Structure formats: structure tokens, C-alpha cells
């Protein structure tokens, strides 16, 4: 939905890889006999690693790391104790070795590209490349912290494949299919264990080691130390201390479920620890459980009233509770934060208005009103479940990820590729948040029905990819910026789709209609949805997934094919029912209007001819404008309104403004010099320049001495602005050229 799609640019690339994939499939089940010598593989890997380091270190370069997603396969759902070992030499090409596992030791430093690549060996000295995907980015977690030389790991149900370069590798797409072993794990062969074992290892020593890692900001290493310490500890008091310390490391690595568990929530015991309570509150806050967070902080304030940090956190939690319950947001503050932060991830709650999810025949599920709403009312102000920011103006050193799925014929570049990784990590780290995402529409993809194995969550990368692709929204940093660019004619169609993108759970239930009754806008990672029309109880909310252009082509159908339906809105049905001769006539008239605008004729002198062409264009439509908008008439009619207002022909200016609104299916009374009240009886399709039309009307009415009607026109301008931009706090600053906006 408004997201940048790069698949067309890479179609040749996709076709080439499809052929490689077909060739690889022919080798399914084969045992390769041309594997390279261990020393050759080590040398080649280290040379590639050096080359990657050199490219990454160069300034003003963009490195595009591409990867082709294999045909979807499910994650392992079998307990490790029920899997049998396999050797590297026994692996078969293009095969998922179900019921098996590989015990491997890393023999090289990692090379981060689209995934993390290392060379690994088994107990028998055979080596193979291991590719790990959906790992955290380098800033969040260095590759050497994920996997490094000497680390021993288990790959569950290994997938052995032919690479695009013709080599062979193990590929792990699911985070839950790989298990890293602690250095003292009994499953590690004796020959792989360190020669010097720690002497006098005890819980306290390991705990202090964990504390030292925390002091250095090495939180993953700290978690390992604390976890080992718990193995050696038996005293309840010591266990509680270690868990409290580990909870801090879990918080720092965004493992909020685990952090909350380590604090003892919801039962803290009679002698509740200050650290346990505070860390529980922090975990609850980041899990967006603001009510529970507030209750814990209240308890903490009673027990430790002099803790200023707790008091500040309590106020913050109270603000989130207020936002989520009544939808009262300081939108000027949100704009300031979106401008200040990069990425623009804002610390605010989600507000869900009077709506509910219901089943819809032929569409799965939809979002419906439970109370009447007026145009401009707030439906949702939702924080993204996950958001990937791409700074299109950013220059300098950058790594761009390109994921190509030849099975679904989709390419994900930049934001969308990053979003898959971000969501996968979030679901793996915090499985309590998974149902909100996994319950979204994911087409015909069949997900596994097991959520955890061996005490760890099962994550399905391909479920994430399919769900993301069907529910992702493209987004600007702020819709206000886009609105300003459009209204100042500084916006091109090429910029209509955005590289930044995200998933908004509740908004994903809103189905498509070219003529929607709600409108979405963005401030950072907050999506604002407002009613674009007056809505009765039980109305299904709809907005366009792709902005309508007033013409219908096979491309329009292809855009909606991903969601499994054909749009049957009044606009689409009318376009499909229009005779070809009328469509041709319409195009010819639009071409004449375009030539007239480019002729160099003074606008004041071309109005008569312009009106004649507009009248002829109107006659190519059969259904009344109040039923079906006449989008091709919008731009020329708006231009004519500007001409009359520029000439100070206020009567014709008002008449043209009324006709401009009619092209969008608005029904308005009193937009003239009469004493009849100005009332919008029916809101039509909303576009950015709609605000300008109402302001022109307000200006004309004011100059004609009709002050009350002028105020009403400006009120409608503000409502239109609120619908389009998401808020009206910035209305006056945006339209300074129009006087007396209040």
C-alpha cells in the first residue's frame, strides 16, 4: 500500500535466477562429489571477507547485498532430542534434511552481507559455508556477537543448497533452526572444548563476570554468564539477584518477555525488590502494556517514594494510558519528535476508536464502526508494530539489502527487506507479541501450528514475509511534508510510493476501496486514520490501497491481485462500464485542455474556451457526479477556479469552486451569494488541493460580505486538512497565504 515496488527493475535479474533455481532443482537429492578442498575454501572465504571489509570502509559508497529467497519451507518443530545427527559429507543438494541435525564449529570470522556467512566444520573435518539470515543489523548486534570463530552450534533440519555462484552451502532462514551452545555444554565434543577450563567456577564468579560485561555494554555475553551462573546456584536469594541482573541485559537486547519473566512479575513476593519492580515496569512499557506498567510503578512509588526516576516513569506511563484511552495527542509535539529523531520512532501509545473487527463475505475480515462518526473524527492513532525507515536523501556509506522471491515474483529492497528482519527478530524475542501479527491476512500460506520447541519460540520467516507483503504500508516521515509538496506543485508521481514502510496491526484490517470513507496519514511511525465522510454505526471502513487515477487498466487489477480481489467500487464499475468511444473522446478533450494550458495564452483570456471544453468533458460521463467522482475533471476545474479568483470574479469563482467539489462527488448547498447556509450534505473523495478549494470559497464569501458563510467554508477547509494531514494543529502555519484562518 503506497510502498515502493522494485520488482519491475529487477525482472531480468529474477528471470536469470529462476533459471539457476530450475537447474539447481535438477540436482535435488544428489551428493556433490566436486566439493572444494578445505584449505581452498578457507583461502577463498578470507579473501571475500577482506574484500567486503574494504568496500564497507569506503566513503560515499552504497553496497547492495542481494539474496534470493528459496521456495518457502517450514521451520523445524521437532525437539532436538528426537533429531538424529548427520555428517556434512552425507548432505544431499536442494534437500531439507528432516529429522536430522548438524553439530558444527565455526572456523572463520563472520562476513556480513545480506546474511551472516561463516565457514563451519563438523567433527570429521569437512567444511561448508553456513548462511544465517534474519539476524540483527550490525549496529544492534555485531556479527561477531552472533557467530564467531570457535563457537559451536547446532543446525536443526539443515537445508543444503547450490548457491548462485555454483558453490554449496547450508542456509538457515528461521531463527529457531539454529542453536548456539555454551562453552561447557556436554554436547560439545571433547576435542572442541577449551584446553584450559575455568577453575573454581561458581555462581558468584559467573555473576560477577556478567556484571563486568554489563559494565562494558556487552549484554549478550552478560546473558550467557548469568544463565551459566543460574546452573550453579541453588540459593533462592542468589537466584533472584542473578535473574534481576539478567533482566537488565534482556531489556537492553529488547527481549522484554524474558526480562519480565526474570523479575518475577506479577508475583514479586513480600519483600519486593526495587530493581525487580522497576525492570518489570520497563519491560511492560516496551511490551505496550501501559496499564500494568502504571500499576507496578504506583506500587514502586509507594515503597520507594524518593526515587525520582520512578516518578518520571510513572508520569510517562500515565501519558501513554491517557493517549490510549481518549486519543488526546499533542500533534505539534509528534511533529517535532518526527523531525528530531532518525529513525522517527516516537514514544507514544496506540488509540483505537469506536471500531471492531468483523468477518466480511469474500474479504476475510474488515473494520467496522460501533458508533456514528463525523468527517474528520479520529478513528485510529496507531503506533507501528514494526517500522523500517529509509532516508531517501541520505548520502555516504550505506548497505542496501535486496531480497528477491522468484516463487512469488516479488522483490524487497531497502525498507521492506529490513522490515522482514525486524519483525522476525521481534517475534523471536517477544513471542507474547506474535499473535497480533501472525493473525493478519497471509494469503494461502500454511503456517506451522507449534509455537515453541525446546523452550524456545518457533519463528517462520516465510510467514513473516508473506504477511508483511500483504499488510505493509509505505509511509513518508510526515504526511504534512508530502501535503505541502503536493500543494506547492513540488511532488512527482515517482515520489508517490515510499521506501520507508511499516506494519500497523489494526489498520491492516481496513479493506480497499478506491473511494474510501477514511483517510490515513503519518507522523513518524504513528499512523492516523480519520473519517473522511459521515459514518453510521456498522459502517465498514475502507481506504484505497492505491490512489485512484480515474482510469482502469489491467495494471490496476494486477495491483490488487495480491490481495485476492477485484475492486467493485462505484468508480471502478463506472470506468469498466464506460464505452470505449467515450473514453477516447475524454482523452482527446483532456489533451485539448492540456494544449490550451501550455499555449501561452493569458489565463484570463482562455476561460471561455476552457469552460466549453469542460462542459464537453462533463458530457462524457453518464452517472451523476454525486454518485461517481469525475476525477479527470478535477485538475482543470480547479485551475479554472484559480483563474476566476485571480481575476476577482467572485461570483464565477464560487460557482467554479462548487463545480470543483462536485467533481469529487461532494454535495454542497449555499456555495453562492444567496443567504442560504453553507452546508456539506455529503463528503466526497478527498485530495490534497481540497483544502485550497474551501479556502478560495471562504475568501470569495468574505469579500462578498457573507462572513458567516465564509467562516463555515474555512471550517470545512480545516476539517479537510485534518482528514488529509491527520491533525489541524499545523493548519494555520501551512496556509499562511490565506488570511484570517481562525
Amino acid at each position: 500500500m503506497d510502498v515502493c515496488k522494485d520488482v519491475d527493475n529487477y525482472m531480468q535479474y529474477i528471470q536469470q535466477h529462476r533459471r539457476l533455481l530450475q537447474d539447481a532443482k535438477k540436482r535435488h537429492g544428489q551428493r556433490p562429489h566436486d566439493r572444494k578442498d578445505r584449505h581452498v575454501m578457507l583461502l577463498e572465504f578470507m579473501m571475500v571477507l577482506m574484500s567486503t571489509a574494504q568496500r564497507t570502509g569506503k566513503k560515499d559508497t552504497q553496497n547492495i547485498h542481494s539474496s534470493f529467497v528459496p521456495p518457502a519451507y517450514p521451520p523445524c518443530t521437532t525437539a532436538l532430542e528426537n533429531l538424529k545427527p548427520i555428517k556434512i559429507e552425507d548432505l544431499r543438494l536442494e534437500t531439507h534434511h528432516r529429522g536430522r541435525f548438524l553439530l558444527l564449529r565455526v572456523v572463520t570470522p563472520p562476513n556480513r552481507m545480506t546474511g551472516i556467512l561463516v565457514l563451519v566444520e563438523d567433527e570429521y573435518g569437512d567444511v561448508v559455508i553456513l548462511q544465517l539470515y534474519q539476524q540483527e543489523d550490525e549496529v544492534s548486534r555485531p556479527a561477531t556477537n552472533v557467530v564467531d570463530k570457535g563457537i559451536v552450534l547446532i543446525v536443526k533440519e539443515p537445508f543444503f543448497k547450490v548457491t548462485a555462484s555454483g558453490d554449496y552451502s547450508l542456509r538457515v532462514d528461521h531463527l529457531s533452526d539454529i542453536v548456539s551452545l555454551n562453552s561447557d555444554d556436554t554436547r560439545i565434543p571433547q576435542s572442541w572444548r577449551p584446553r584450559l577450563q575455568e577453575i573454581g567456577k561458581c555462581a558468584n564468579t559467573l555473576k560477577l563476570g556478567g556484571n563486568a560485561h554489563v559494565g562494558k555494554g556487552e549484554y549478550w555475553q552478560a546473558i550467557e554468564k548469568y544463565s551459566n551462573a543460574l546452573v550453579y546456584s541453588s540459593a533462592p536469594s542468589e537466584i533472584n539477584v542473578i535473574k534481576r541482573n539478567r533482566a537488565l541485559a534482556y531489556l537492553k537486547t529488547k527481549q522484554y518477555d524474558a526480562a519480565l519473566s526474570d523479575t518475577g512479575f506479577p508475583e514479586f513476593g513480600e519483600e519486593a525488590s526495587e530493581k525487580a519492580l522497576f525492570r518489570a515496569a520497563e519491560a511492560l512499557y516496551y511490551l505496550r502494556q501501559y496499564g500494568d506498567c502504571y500499576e507496578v510503578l504506583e506500587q514502586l512509588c509507594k515503597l520507594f517514594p524518593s526515587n525520582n526516576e520512578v516518578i518520571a516513569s510513572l508520569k510517562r506511563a500515565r501519558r501513554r494510558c491517557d493517549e490510549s484511552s481518549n486519543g488526546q495527542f499533542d500533534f505539534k509535539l509528534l511533529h517535532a519528535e518526527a523531525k528530531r529523531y532518525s529513525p522517527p520512532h516516537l514514544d507514544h501509545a496506540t488509540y483505537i476508536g469506536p471500531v471492531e473487527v468483523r468477518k466480511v463475505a469474500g474479504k476475510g475480515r474488515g473494520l467496522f464502526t460501533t458508533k456514528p462518526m463525523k468527517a474528520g473524527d479520529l478513528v485510529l492513532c496507531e503506533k507501528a508494530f514494526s517500522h523500517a525507515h529509509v532516508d531517501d536523501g541520505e548520502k555516504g556509506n550505506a548497505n542496501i539489502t535486496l531480497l528477491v522471491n522468484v516463487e512469488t515474483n516479488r522483490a524487497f529492497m531497502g525498507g521492506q527487506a529490513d522490515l522482514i528482519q525486524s519483525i522476525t527478530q521481534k517475534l523471536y524475542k517477544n513471542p507474547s507479541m506474535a499473535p497480533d501479527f501472525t493473525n493478519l491476512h497471509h494469503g494461502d500460506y500454511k503456517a506451522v501450528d507449534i509455537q515453541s520447541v525446546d523452550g524456545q519460540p518457533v519463528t517462520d520467516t516465510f510467514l513473516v514475509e508473506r504477511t508483511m507483503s500483504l499488510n505493509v504500508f509505505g509511509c513518508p516521515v510526515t504526511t504534512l511534508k508530502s501535503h505541502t509538496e503536493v500543494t506547492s506543485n513540488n511532488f512527482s508521481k515517482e515520489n508517490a510510493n515510499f521506501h520507508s514502510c511499516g506494519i500497523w496491526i489494526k489498520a491492516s484490517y481496513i479493506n480497499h476501496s478506491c473511494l474510501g470513507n477514511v483517510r490515513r496519514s503519518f507522523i513518524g511511525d504513528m499512523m492516523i486514520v480519520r473519517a473522511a465522510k459521515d459514518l453510521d454505526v456498522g459502517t465498514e471502513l475502507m481506504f484505497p490501497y492505491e490512489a485512484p487515477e480515474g482510469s482502469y487498466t489491467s495494471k490496476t487489477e494486477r495491483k490488487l491481485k495480491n490481495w485476492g480481489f477485484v475492486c467493485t467500487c462505484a468508480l471502478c464499475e463506472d470506468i469498466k462500464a464506460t464505452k470505449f468511444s467515450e473514453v477516447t473522446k475524454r482523452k482527446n478533450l483532456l489533451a485539448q485542455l492540456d494544449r490550451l494550458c501550455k499555449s501561452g495564452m493569458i489565463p484570463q483570456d482562455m476561460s471561455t474556451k476552457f469552460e466549453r471544453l469542460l462542459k464537453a468533458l462533463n458530457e462524457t460521463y453518464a452517472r451523476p457526479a454525486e454518485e461517481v467522482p469525475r476525477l479527470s475533471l478535477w485538475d482543470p476545474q480547479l485551475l479554472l477556479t484559480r483563474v476566476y479568483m485571480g481575476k476577482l470574479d467572485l461570483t464565477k469563482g464560487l460557482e467554479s469552486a462548487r463545480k470543483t467539489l462536485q467533481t469529487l462527488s461532494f454535495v454542497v448547498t449555499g456555495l453562492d451569494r444567496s443567504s442560504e447556509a453553507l452546508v456539506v450534505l455529503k463528503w466526497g473523495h478527498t485530495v490534497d488541493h481540497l483544502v485550497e478549494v474551501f479556502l478560495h470559497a471562504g475568501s470569495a464569501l468574505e469579500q462578498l460580505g457573507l462572513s458567516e458563510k465564509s467562516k463555515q467554508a474555512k471550517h470545512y477547509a480545516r476539517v479537510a486538512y485534518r482528514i488529509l494531514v491527520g491533525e489541524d494543529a499545523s493548519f494555520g502555519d501551512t496556509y499562511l497565504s490565506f488570511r484570517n484562518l481562525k
Side-chain angles (χ1 to χ4, degrees):
M1 306 174 202
D2 293 340
V3 72
C4 187
K5 302 173 182 66
D6 294 288
V7 66
D8 293 338
N9 300 331
Y10 297 95
M11 189 54 68
Q12 185 176 355
Y13 196 33
I14 292 174
Q15 295 298 340
Q16 179 185 359
H17 189 77
R18 183 175 281 116
R19 290 191 293 271
L20 291 173
L21 185 62
Q22 290 170 349
D23 291 340
K25 284 183 177 180
K26 295 176 183 177
R27 302 190 65 183
H28 171 73
Q30 292 182 11
R31 181 176 174 178
H33 297 289
D34 57 348
R35 292 211 313 263
K36 295 176 182 177
D37 178 78
R38 175 190 178 99
H39 298 292
V40 172
M41 291 188 69
L42 278 167
L43 178 61
E44 289 182 351
F45 186 91
M46 295 307 295
M47 289 179 67
V48 172
L49 180 61
M50 290 174 61
S51 176
T52 302
Q54 289 174 353
R55 288 197 307 272
T56 304
K58 289 182 179 179
K59 295 182 178 180
D60 300 322
T61 59
Q62 283 191 331
N63 301 310
I64 298 180
H65 297 314
S66 63
S67 176
F68 286 86
V69 181
Y73 65 93
C76 176
T77 57
T78 304
L80 192 54
E81 64 180 6
N82 295 325
L83 299 177
K84 296 179 180 180
I86 190 173
K87 302 176 184 178
I88 289 176
E89 69 173 358
D90 292 331
L91 295 174
R92 299 296 189 267
L93 290 171
E94 301 303 319
T95 300
H96 300 277
H97 296 80
R98 296 298 178 187
R100 299 285 189 155
F101 75 87
L102 268 173
L103 182 64
L104 303 167
R105 180 171 65 170
V106 181
V107 296
T108 64
N111 185 13
R112 185 184 285 276
M113 300 176 76
T114 308
I116 297 177
L117 279 64
V118 289
L119 205 60
V120 293
E121 66 176 355
D122 63 10
E123 293 180 70
Y124 308 94
D126 289 316
V127 295
V128 68
I129 294 173
L130 173 64
Q131 301 172 309
L132 303 177
Y133 289 91
Q134 309 312 327
Q135 300 296 324
E136 291 179 90
D137 61 73
E138 191 68 18
V139 174
S140 301
R141 189 179 183 187
T144 52
N145 196 240
V146 177
V147 60
D148 202 359
K149 187 175 181 179
I151 287 178
V152 180
L153 45 83
I154 290 174
V155 176
K156 300 163 69 175
E157 298 188 331
F159 174 35
F160 190 48
K161 64 183 290 292
V162 181
T163 66
S165 62
D167 290 326
Y168 310 119
S169 75
L170 293 166
R171 177 174 178 130
V172 180
D173 289 281
H174 305 295
L175 294 175
S176 50
D177 282 355
I178 190 159
V179 180
S180 295
L181 302 182
N182 293 330
S183 57
D184 57 354
D185 195 296
T186 57
R187 290 170 290 188
I188 298 178
Q190 193 66 40
S191 60
W192 285 357
R193 296 186 185 185
R195 292 182 179 179
L196 296 176
Q197 298 288 336
E198 289 187 57
I199 300 174
K201 184 183 291 186
C202 66
N204 188 58
T205 302
L206 291 166
K207 182 194 74 174
L208 293 175
N211 293 348
H213 282 302
V214 168
K216 298 175 184 177
E218 299 169 349
Y219 301 111
W220 290 97
Q221 293 93 323
I223 290 169
E224 182 179 349
K225 287 289 185 183
Y226 291 138
S227 298
N228 287 340
L230 289 171
V231 175
Y232 289 90
S233 180
S234 58
S237 59
E238 187 176 47
I239 289 173
N240 288 337
V241 170
I242 295 170
K243 283 189 172 182
R244 284 199 299 270
N245 291 0
R246 189 172 65 171
L248 174 61
Y250 278 140
L251 284 171
K252 295 295 185 180
T253 54
K254 300 183 180 180
Q255 299 180 80
Y256 306 122
D257 278 0
L260 190 61
S261 176
D262 270 1
T263 65
F265 177 85
E267 300 297 332
F268 296 104
E270 294 181 1
E271 296 182 3
S273 161
E274 184 176 12
K275 288 182 178 179
L277 285 165
F278 189 71
R279 287 167 189 171
E282 287 288 286
L284 289 165
Y285 188 89
Y286 291 114
L287 289 169
R288 305 182 187 179
Q289 299 177 27
Y290 301 117
D292 289 339
C293 171
Y294 186 80
E295 289 181 6
V296 172
L297 288 169
E298 272 194 320
Q299 182 182 353
L300 192 53
C301 279
K302 291 176 182 177
L303 294 172
F304 307 97
S306 60
N307 190 324
N308 292 328
E309 188 177 4
V310 172
I311 294 171
S313 295
L314 182 68
K315 291 179 179 178
R316 181 181 67 163
R318 179 72 265 170
R319 289 195 294 270
R320 299 295 86 79
C321 290
D322 289 343
E323 289 170 348
S324 63
S325 62
N326 57 35
Q328 296 298 313
F329 292 87
D330 183 345
F331 288 109
K332 282 193 173 182
L333 174 63
L334 265 66
H335 276 298
E337 291 173 342
K339 189 175 182 179
R340 185 186 316 137
Y341 302 137
S342 183
H345 296 164
L346 311 188
D347 183 12
H348 292 278
T350 288
Y351 167 74
I352 306 297
V355 294
E356 65 181 11
V357 177
R358 298 180 190 171
K359 290 184 178 180
V360 182
K363 294 183 181 179
R365 292 163 294 179
L367 202 60
F368 291 78
T369 58
T370 58
K371 291 182 180 179
M373 304 190 81
K374 290 288 187 182
D377 284 354
L378 183 63
V379 178
L380 306 171
C381 187
E382 184 175 9
K383 182 170 174 63
F385 178 82
S386 187
H387 178 267
H389 174 63
V390 177
D391 187 346
D392 293 323
E394 191 175 62
K395 295 181 180 179
N397 189 31
N399 292 321
I400 299 174
T401 301
L402 170 64
L403 296 180
V404 181
N405 190 325
V406 296
E407 191 178 31
T408 59
N409 219 36
R410 293 193 183 109
F412 305 112
M413 188 171 187
Q416 292 181 74
D418 295 340
L419 195 61
I420 295 172
Q421 176 263 323
S422 173
I423 295 171
T424 304
Q425 284 286 334
K426 185 167 190 170
L427 302 187
Y428 186 69
K429 289 180 176 181
N430 301 292
S432 69
M433 304 182 81
D436 285 342
F437 178 79
T438 56
N439 285 337
L440 293 176
H441 176 61
H442 48 263
D444 58 1
Y445 184 81
K446 293 184 179 180
V448 296
D449 56 3
I450 295 177
Q451 278 71 52
S452 65
V453 173
D454 295 326
Q456 295 297 320
V458 173
T459 55
D460 186 340
T461 294
F462 298 100
L463 174 63
V464 171
E465 183 227 309
R466 298 297 166 84
T467 306
M468 185 281 295
S469 67
L470 294 172
N471 295 277
V472 64
F473 291 88
C475 55
V477 174
T478 66
T479 300
L480 171 58
K481 182 175 182 292
S482 300
H483 174 78
T484 304
E485 289 173 350
V486 170
T487 53
S488 61
N489 298 316
N490 190 30
F491 192 82
S492 64
K493 286 187 177 181
E494 287 75 17
N495 294 329
N497 292 325
F498 305 102
H499 289 88
S500 294
C501 55
I503 294 291
W504 286 265
I505 299 295
K506 194 64 72 173
S508 292
Y509 288 101
I510 300 177
N511 285 314
H512 165 86
S513 172
C514 297
L515 304 177
N517 52 21
V518 294
R519 176 98 178 195
R520 64 183 178 272
S521 55
F522 300 91
I523 304 177
D525 66 340
M526 304 292 292
M527 181 194 287
I528 304 163
V529 177
R530 289 191 180 272
K533 305 178 189 297
D534 296 337
L535 306 174
D536 294 328
V537 175
T539 300
E540 183 183 2
L541 305 182
M542 308 183 92
F543 51 36
Y545 291 177
E546 301 281 347
E549 297 178 355
S551 59
Y552 196 91
T553 64
S554 58
K555 187 176 181 181
T556 308
E557 288 191 358
R558 286 200 306 271
K559 286 179 178 179
L560 300 177
K561 186 178 180 181
N562 288 337
W563 292 283
F565 67 87
V566 174
C567 184
T568 57
C569 74
L571 180 63
C572 287
E573 292 300 296
D574 181 67
I575 292 171
K576 286 185 281 187
T578 302
K579 295 179 180 179
F580 180 75
S581 59
E582 291 299 308
V583 173
T584 303
K585 183 178 180 181
R586 195 176 295 169
K587 288 180 179 178
N588 290 335
L589 289 167
L590 285 169
Q592 291 181 57
L593 284 166
D594 186 57
R595 286 195 296 271
L596 184 60
C597 291
K598 295 176 180 177
S599 64
M601 185 182 295
I602 299 173
Q604 288 86 337
D605 297 336
M606 70 179 188
S607 56
T608 302
K609 187 173 183 180
F610 212 84
E611 281 192 325
R612 187 168 64 250
L613 288 171
L614 281 176
K615 184 175 183 296
L617 188 58
N618 248 313
E619 291 172 353
T620 66
Y621 290 88
R623 294 178 63 180
E626 66 183 64
E627 294 180 9
V628 183
R630 300 175 177 182
L631 298 184
S632 61
L633 276 159
W634 159 257
D635 282 333
Q637 191 68 60
L638 173 61
L639 178 59
L640 191 60
T641 301
R642 291 170 177 167
V643 169
Y644 285 133
M645 291 303 296
K647 292 167 59 177
L648 294 180
D649 190 338
L650 303 180
T651 300
K652 286 192 174 181
L654 281 175
E655 182 184 1
S656 184
R658 179 180 58 78
K659 290 180 178 179
T660 305
L661 292 173
Q662 282 181 339
T663 67
L664 299 178
S665 291
F666 276 77
V667 178
V668 183
T669 62
L671 193 53
D672 50 33
R673 302 184 65 160
S674 71
S675 59
E676 183 181 8
L678 173 58
V679 179
V680 174
L681 298 175
K682 172 181 171 288
W683 283 77
H685 186 61
T686 51
V687 295
D688 283 284
H689 285 287
L690 177 62
V691 180
E692 179 190 344
V693 177
F694 278 118
L695 289 176
H696 278 311
S699 176
L701 291 165
E702 184 175 24
Q703 293 178 69
L704 290 168
L706 300 168
S707 59
E708 288 303 314
K709 294 175 75 168
S710 173
K711 289 179 182 178
Q712 191 63 19
K714 292 172 183 177
H715 163 73
Y716 286 132
R718 183 179 285 272
V719 174
Y721 183 88
R722 192 186 311 139
I723 294 169
L724 290 160
V725 176
E727 46 79 23
D728 59 10
S730 59
F731 178 59
D733 293 335
T734 304
Y735 286 93
L736 284 172
S737 58
F738 287 87
R739 301 300 180 188
N740 302 317
L741 293 178
K742 295 181 180 179

